[in-house]
């Protein structure tokens, strides 16, 4: 086989790890009988290494040379492109260390903080920024997902499960009519551990 230069393909310069790209061989008017896609070093996953069109996924970061070898039966043509795969940021978040109180309450609210990226989106919401303060806080158990992006648009996600105490129940009873100067009994019940009375 002789070596000729009639095959080529287009490849983006950079991608984020964990993403994929489609590549398509361009051979002009040449009738091709075989294609071979490969990578140096190994690492990218080439879905269809012997087809004119293939998807290539990049599970890890690094610099890779993608090679195409095309065969028309009497000669071969090779072409290469270099792609830089960027590392994704490592996103973390800080949330409550235990269950939170349901609304209404005069304490708390839900406060969470993300770190490890340049910009942040919280869902459900959406809320934006490295810190969020949600008030009133959720009334039932819920999961929040934080997506953080770096300056190159590469992203990572983290999830936190927020457990909410059940809404307490409380009731009170007392005589509907009382006489002045006579002591009366008031009774409280429900799912509370502490009861505080106030009034005249």
């Amino acid at each position: 086989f002789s070596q000729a230069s009639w095959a080529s393909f287009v490849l983006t310069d950079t991608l984020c790890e964990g993403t994929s790209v489609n590549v398509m061989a361009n051979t002009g008017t040449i009738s091709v009988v075989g294609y071979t896609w490969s990578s140096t070093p190994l690492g990218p996953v080439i879905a269809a290494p012997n087809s004119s069109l293939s998807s290539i996924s990049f599970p890890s970061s690094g610099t890779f040379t993608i090679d195409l070898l095309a065969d028309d039966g009497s000669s071969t043509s090779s072409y290469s492109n270099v792609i830089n795969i960027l590392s994704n940021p490592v996103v973390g978040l800080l949330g409550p260390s235990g269950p939170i109180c349901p609304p209404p309450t005069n304490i708390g609210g839900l406060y969470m903080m993300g770190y490890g990226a340049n910009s942040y989106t919280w869902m459900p919401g959406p809320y934006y920024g490295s810190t969020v303060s949600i008030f009133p806080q959720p009334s039932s158990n819920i999961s929040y997902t934080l997506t953080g992006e770096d300056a190159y648009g590469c992203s990572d996600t983290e999830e936190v499960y927020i457990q909410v105490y059940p809404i307490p129940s409380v009731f009170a009873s007392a005589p509907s009519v009382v006489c002045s100067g006579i002591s009366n009994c008031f009774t409280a019940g429900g799912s509370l551990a502490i009861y505080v009375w106030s009034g005249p």
Side-chain angles (χ1 to χ4, degrees), residues 39-44 63-65:
S39 171
T40 305
L42 297 175
T63 300
F64 301 95
T65 300

Side-chain angles (χ1 to χ4, degrees), residues 7-182:
S8 65
F9 65 96
V10 176
L11 185 64
T12 184
D13 293 332
T14 58
L15 278 179
C16 302
E17 64 177 310
T19 58
S20 62
V21 64
N22 291 326
V23 289
M24 183 174 65
N26 179 14
T27 57
T29 59
I30 303 296
S31 179
V32 176
V33 297
Y35 300 90
T36 302
W37 297 92
S38 60
S39 171
T40 305
L42 297 175
V45 179
I46 302 173
N50 301 118
S51 174
S52 62
L53 174 65
S54 181
S55 173
I56 305 177
S57 58
F58 299 90
S60 59
S61 60
T63 300
F64 301 95
T65 300
I66 305 300
D67 299 299
L68 167 65
L69 182 66
D71 176 11
D72 70 353
S74 61
S75 64
T76 61
S77 177
S78 62
Y79 191 82
S80 300
N81 265 322
V82 176
I83 186 169
N84 186 29
I85 305 302
L86 305 174
S87 298
N88 290 327
V90 179
V91 172
L93 67 84
L94 299 174
S97 58
I100 64 173
C101 293
T105 180
N106 60 354
I107 58 174
L110 175 58
Y111 177 82
M112 297 179 292
M113 181 178 72
Y115 58 90
N118 291 58
S119 62
Y120 304 86
T121 304
W122 302 79
M123 295 294 291
Y127 300 98
Y128 301 99
S130 60
T131 61
V132 294
S133 183
I134 302 171
F135 190 89
Q137 60 268 48
S139 59
S140 59
N141 298 344
I142 188 172
S143 292
Y144 284 92
T145 300
L146 169 64
T147 300
E149 286 192 359
D150 63 15
Y152 303 101
C154 298
S155 64
D156 185 30
T157 60
E158 188 71 23
E159 186 176 73
V160 61
Y161 179 72
I162 305 297
Q163 184 178 357
V164 182
Y165 286 117
I167 296 176
S169 60
V170 62
F171 64 87
S173 63
S176 59
V177 178
V178 297
C179 296
S180 176
I182 297 176

